[in-house]
Amino acid sequence: MSDHYETLGVSRDASAEEIKRAYRKKARQLHPDVNPSPDAADEFKRVSHANDVLSDPEKRRIYDATGNENGESGFGGGGFGGGGGFGGFGDIFDAFFQGGGAQGPKSRTRQGQDALITVDVSLQEAVFGTQKRITVDTAVVCPECQGTCCQPGTHPEQCTDCGGQGQVRQPIRSPLGTVMTVAECPTCRGYGDVIKSPCQECYGHGRVRDKRPLNVKIPAGVRSGVRIRLSGQGEAGVAGGPSGDLYVETKVTQDPTFTRDGDDLHVTVRIPMTSAALGTTLKLDTFDGPQEISIPAGTQSGQTRRVEGLGSTRLRSQSGERGDLVVHLEVETPEDLTGEQRELLTRLASLRGEEQHTGTAVSRTQERGGGGGFFSRLRDRFADQ
């Protein structure tokens, strides 16, 4: 039976990369599509089979331990005999007691963690959406080694103690003989290679801490607590690993004029009693610019006027639908009347037949409906002055 290493033309301590290159070279020479020789087809099968065994760390380990073809199935050609060891049969114990045997070298790369940052958004920005320029203090790819963890011009070197496998075999004597165990290589810590010249900037981690500017699109209609996910904008991974995600949580700040209830905006406006009695047109500065709002005659304090479509944009609305603007009206009663003004109000009360009115209890329904008349309540207010 031919030796797999001889079939591929590599040494027994050849690295995985050397085995791969040797197989590709021979496969190109022996493939039936390019080599019509009858012997080439058989040789191509032998080369492919040898590559299947030697490119698999577990199969190669068993093959190296048994030294024969049967080692690929877990049994040595000598069964229990020879040399005081179990040979291939010992590898069955290995598989049971060591969690399945060797798994090959582990990777240095690890994905970066997700990050969370809070950004303040004004109520007006929340209504229409905006772009925010933020600065994120996070882990970024090392600018010196670009995530390789090595000093520029150097690279990791294969561990000579484990041959790049990341694990070493250790014989243990048992009542049944010698059992081969597998343990993490203490020299390379299971990575299969050693960084002899770590990057001085990141100390061999492949990333450093830095502040990074970032533009964030804040969608229209956001509220406090809404989180916006930016894929791949979190912490950079270790040793060139993929970055985590960045979550931007919005905090809508309080506006000095407008408040928000659902998708509606609310504002309170004070108007003089004469404007409330006679009616007027109110000019109001809104997020959409100046707006004229009609105030009908006889408006009572506490009444509202609703302007459709001037509220907040509905979050995730495809058509940009918006709530309403609700204007709450407060009628101001003057407290510093001049003599002439008092005389005019007294005359008005007389004309309305309210000069003898001393106040009558009204129901809550009448209160909400403005029962008793505006000037009647106004005269009562000044009755004791």
Side-chain angles (χ1 to χ4, degrees):
M1 182 175 293
S2 62
D3 181 270
H4 291 327
Y5 290 99
E6 293 180 359
T7 299
L8 292 179
V10 296
S11 63
R12 302 192 72 82
D13 59 353
S15 66
E17 186 62 31
E18 290 173 334
I19 292 174
K20 183 187 299 184
R21 286 198 301 267
Y23 166 69
R24 289 178 177 175
K25 180 179 179 180
K26 286 187 173 292
R28 285 195 296 267
Q29 297 172 350
L30 300 171
H31 197 280
D33 290 341
V34 297
N35 193 332
S37 172
D39 296 335
D42 292 337
E43 185 66 19
F44 179 77
K45 292 179 181 179
R46 289 176 47 232
V47 168
S48 297
H49 182 63
N51 179 69
D52 288 342
V53 174
L54 298 184
S55 62
D56 186 304
E58 174 64 8
K59 290 182 180 180
R60 182 180 180 182
R61 181 182 65 82
I62 296 175
Y63 180 76
D64 289 343
T66 62
N68 56 65
E69 188 66 18
N70 289 333
E72 296 167 38
S73 300
F75 290 96
F80 287 92
F86 272 74
F89 190 73
D91 292 319
I92 296 180
F93 278 81
D94 193 346
F96 278 103
F97 294 115
Q98 297 298 325
Q103 301 297 321
K106 62 184 181 181
S107 175
R108 293 181 184 275
T109 62
R110 295 198 307 272
Q111 182 171 359
Q113 293 184 339
D114 295 341
L116 174 66
I117 188 172
T118 301
V119 59
D120 288 338
V121 180
S122 69
L123 181 57
Q124 185 171 4
E125 290 173 332
V127 169
F128 298 109
T130 186
Q131 286 274 355
K132 283 286 187 179
R133 182 77 168 177
I134 63 175
T135 300
V136 184
D137 187 353
T138 184
V140 299
V141 176
C142 175
E144 183 71 14
C145 69
Q146 297 300 313
T148 65
C149 305
C150 304
Q151 277 288 92
T154 66
H155 56 80
E157 299 180 14
Q158 185 183 78
C159 178
T160 56
D161 288 351
C162 66
Q165 297 301 308
Q167 297 171 323
V168 292
R169 294 170 57 81
Q170 299 173 339
I172 296 180
R173 301 292 298 180
S174 74
L176 299 177
T178 301
V179 177
M180 299 301 294
T181 63
V182 178
E184 181 179 275
C185 176
T187 302
C188 66
R189 296 182 297 171
Y191 295 120
D193 53 33
V194 178
I195 299 178
K196 293 186 176 181
S197 300
C199 175
Q200 298 300 307
E201 182 72 19
C202 63
Y203 304 102
H205 292 288
R207 62 179 186 174
V208 294
R209 202 80 186 176
D210 198 7
K211 293 183 178 180
R212 178 165 56 95
L214 191 65
N215 289 323
V216 181
K217 181 179 180 180
I218 308 297
V222 297
R223 307 174 188 277
S224 291
V226 171
R227 290 187 177 182
I228 303 166
R229 178 187 177 189
L230 302 179
S231 181
Q233 297 296 332
E235 288 191 352
V238 177
S243 298
D245 297 334
L246 174 65
Y247 290 87
V248 179
E249 183 173 278
T250 57
K251 178 183 178 182
V252 181
T253 58
Q254 187 175 2
D255 188 84
T257 303
F258 298 92
T259 58
R260 182 178 181 181
D261 183 12
D263 294 321
D264 292 336
L265 294 178
H266 294 255
V267 62
T268 299
V269 178
R270 293 181 177 180
I271 59 175
M273 66 174 188
T274 51
S275 298
L278 301 174
T280 186
T281 298
L282 176 66
K283 293 184 179 180
L284 178 64
D285 287 330
T286 71
F287 290 153
D288 292 84
Q291 300 290 328
E292 291 188 351
I293 301 173
S294 177
I295 306 298
T299 293
Q300 304 297 309
S301 199
Q303 290 184 338
T304 61
R305 302 291 291 170
R306 181 177 291 269
V307 185
E308 295 182 355
L310 292 186
S312 174
T313 305
R314 292 186 171 89
L315 186 62
R316 300 184 183 90
S317 173
Q318 299 297 324
S319 57
E321 296 178 351
R322 298 175 60 183
D324 299 335
L325 173 64
V326 182
V327 182
H328 298 260
L329 300 172
E330 281 189 4
V331 178
E332 289 185 313
T333 301
E335 297 181 356
D336 54 350
L337 292 173
T338 65
E340 182 180 4
Q341 291 170 344
R342 181 182 295 274
E343 181 180 348
L344 289 173
L345 285 177
T346 302
R347 182 180 177 189
L348 178 59
S350 176
L351 292 174
R352 291 178 55 83
E354 298 177 351
E355 71 280 358
Q356 297 299 324
H357 187 70
T358 58
T360 303
V362 296
S363 67
R364 293 187 180 274
T365 302
Q366 288 175 307
E367 286 180 353
R368 289 193 295 268
F374 169 75
F375 288 102
S376 175
R377 295 196 302 277
L378 180 63
R379 192 189 65 78
D380 291 340
R381 177 158 184 158
F382 293 101
D384 297 329
Q385 295 185 6

